[in-house]
Amino acid sequence: MSNSSRTACRCPQCRIRSVTWPVVLITVGALFLAGQYSRYGFFDLWPIILIVIGALLVIQAMVSREGHVGT
């Protein structure tokens, strides 16, 4: 079975799930950048990562799975 025969799910929940880790990585990068240019270091700001992950999980749980393809 080739990958071209797979159908990507485009339901809102899967779309949010697909951007979760890129958003977390961007947040980590932004925190390191903020640590360089502010009086707060990365270790002062790391709880923001937990807030971002939690917010994405809450949004993912709240959106519809209508049209979900797959298991």
Side-chain angles (χ1 to χ4, degrees):
M1 181 181 257
S2 68
N3 287 339
S4 62
S5 66
R6 284 185 169 175
T7 303
C9 181
R10 301 305 299 161
C11 75
Q13 186 177 36
C14 290
R15 287 194 323 223
I16 290 171
R17 183 181 295 157
S18 69
V19 299
T20 297
W21 291 112
V23 168
V24 170
L25 288 176
I26 290 169
T27 302
V28 169
L31 293 179
F32 275 115
L33 186 65
Q36 292 293 314
Y37 294 105
S38 73
R39 67 183 193 137
Y40 301 106
F42 175 80
F43 293 105
D44 296 324
L45 301 172
W46 72 266
I48 293 173
I49 297 169
L50 299 178
I51 294 168
V52 168
I53 292 172
L56 289 170
L57 290 174
V58 167
I59 292 168
Q60 183 181 344
M62 291 175 59
V63 297
S64 170
R65 287 193 69 177
E66 184 175 331
H68 181 69
V69 176
T71 57

